Amino acid sequence: MREFPAEKPLLFGHRGYSSLRAENTIASFQLCVEKQIPGVELDVQLCKTGELVVIHDANVQRVSGRDALVADLSFEELRGLDVGGHEQIPLLSELFELCADKLYYDIELKVPDLKDRGLELKTWQTIAAFGLQERCMVSSFNPFAVRRFNKISNFALPSAVIFDDSPSIPRPFRHGWGRHIARCSYLKPSVTLLDEEMVTKFRKRKGYPLIVWTVDDYESAKRALELGAEGFVSNNPEPLLSLLH
């Protein structure tokens, strides 16, 4: 299985440094660079005019106050929104242009159903255009999106299925079962699910490295590493830097 070619453990700022800056914005990602956080986790979607934009929710209301779907808005309309702190929604290409190899990237594919809208292809093309294959992984709650990406990229990157036991997640995908569809190389469980049994089952027996989310305090991160996690995603990553050494 393809593993991330970076020093372990891995540390990703969740949507950038989202506890101090507006999530998924250039300011949030740049703060990770300034604080020497090695990696960032971010979300990508396609807007109405086909651009690959960095935003988490399908609806922009929570971050901008406007009740509208990303898929129904042009990039020009999205660019006109203030998503916090006078920040704008960036393109994935803009993030790569600014931060390039200063970070490694966990790119979450936001795909709500089984339909192929071209998100996976455009994500792969953008990564390849910037030559960042060695600094990126892709992940998703949707194992079919991960499967499509892996097929398109010929398994060029590490990939992960994200899972939790939330009722919002289809039952078959709550326990990492999506790995059979995705053919992924990592698993990303919620930190609340991490225990010795999970590590024994997935890491030791089946060979899946585990990256847990969302870990915002030192003791939880330390426990995750002691149990056998390979890394973690955090809203407040700077206090966790000492665990990398």
Side-chain angles (χ1 to χ4, degrees):
M1 290 186 180
R2 187 174 179 85
E3 294 199 23
F4 210 90
E7 186 176 348
K8 309 298 190 305
L10 300 166
L11 174 59
F12 299 90
H14 186 224
R15 306 176 197 170
Y17 210 123
S18 55
S19 64
L20 297 179
R21 297 290 187 271
E23 66 178 56
N24 276 326
T25 62
I26 293 299
S28 188
F29 300 127
Q30 285 183 321
L31 186 59
C32 284
V33 175
E34 293 169 17
K35 298 284 190 182
Q36 298 185 313
I37 309 304
V40 292
E41 182 269 357
L42 59 126
D43 309 278
V44 292
Q45 301 182 52
L46 291 177
C47 65
K48 183 178 180 180
T49 44
E51 288 86 355
L52 192 59
V53 291
V54 180
I55 184 170
H56 179 271
D57 296 4
N59 192 307
V60 298
Q61 186 168 31
R62 177 177 62 87
V63 293
S64 74
R66 178 175 177 180
D67 185 8
L69 297 177
V70 173
D72 291 339
L73 297 177
S74 68
F75 179 60
E76 183 179 0
E77 290 174 302
L78 288 169
R79 190 65 123 188
L81 300 175
D82 180 341
V83 293
H86 305 293
E87 291 294 321
Q88 298 173 312
I89 295 171
L91 297 168
L92 180 61
S93 58
E94 290 174 326
L95 171 59
F96 284 169
E97 285 171 3
L98 286 168
C99 297
D101 61 0
K102 296 174 184 175
L103 295 165
Y104 49 74
Y105 306 88
D106 175 10
I107 302 168
E108 182 178 339
L109 307 171
K110 305 300 289 187
V111 180
D113 52 33
L114 302 184
K115 188 175 180 179
D116 182 359
R117 296 175 176 83
L119 174 67
E120 298 85 359
L121 176 60
K122 186 156 287 189
T123 300
W124 168 240
Q125 290 174 333
T126 305
I127 293 168
F130 284 87
L132 291 172
Q133 293 93 323
E134 295 298 312
R135 303 197 69 84
C136 292
M137 68 180 294
V138 297
S139 58
S140 185
F141 281 96
N142 187 332
F144 294 96
V146 177
R147 179 177 178 169
R148 276 196 297 268
F149 184 92
N150 283 334
K151 184 177 181 180
I152 289 166
S153 66
N154 196 25
F155 294 86
L157 309 181
S159 62
V161 165
I162 312 168
F163 64 97
D164 193 5
D165 57 3
S166 168
S168 64
I169 299 172
R171 188 177 297 276
F173 302 151
R174 291 182 195 172
H175 305 286
W177 294 332
R179 69 188 186 276
H180 299 300
I181 296 168
R183 297 177 64 194
C184 56
S185 50
Y186 278 75
L187 292 175
K188 287 179 59 181
S190 165
V191 68
T192 60
L193 301 180
L194 188 71
D195 57 22
E196 291 184 8
E197 181 181 359
M198 174 177 284
V199 173
T200 298
K201 176 182 178 181
F202 288 131
R203 185 56 174 134
K204 296 179 180 178
R205 293 179 184 168
K206 300 183 182 297
Y208 289 96
L210 301 171
I211 298 173
V212 293
W213 56 275
T214 305
V215 187
D216 290 337
D217 66 274
Y218 182 90
E219 288 304 320
S220 295
K222 182 180 178 184
R223 173 183 173 273
L225 293 180
E226 289 172 347
L227 283 171
E230 294 270 324
F232 29 82
V233 179
S234 177
N235 293 307
N236 186 33
E238 188 176 22
L240 311 184
L241 278 171
S242 61
L243 290 169
L244 306 190
H245 309 294

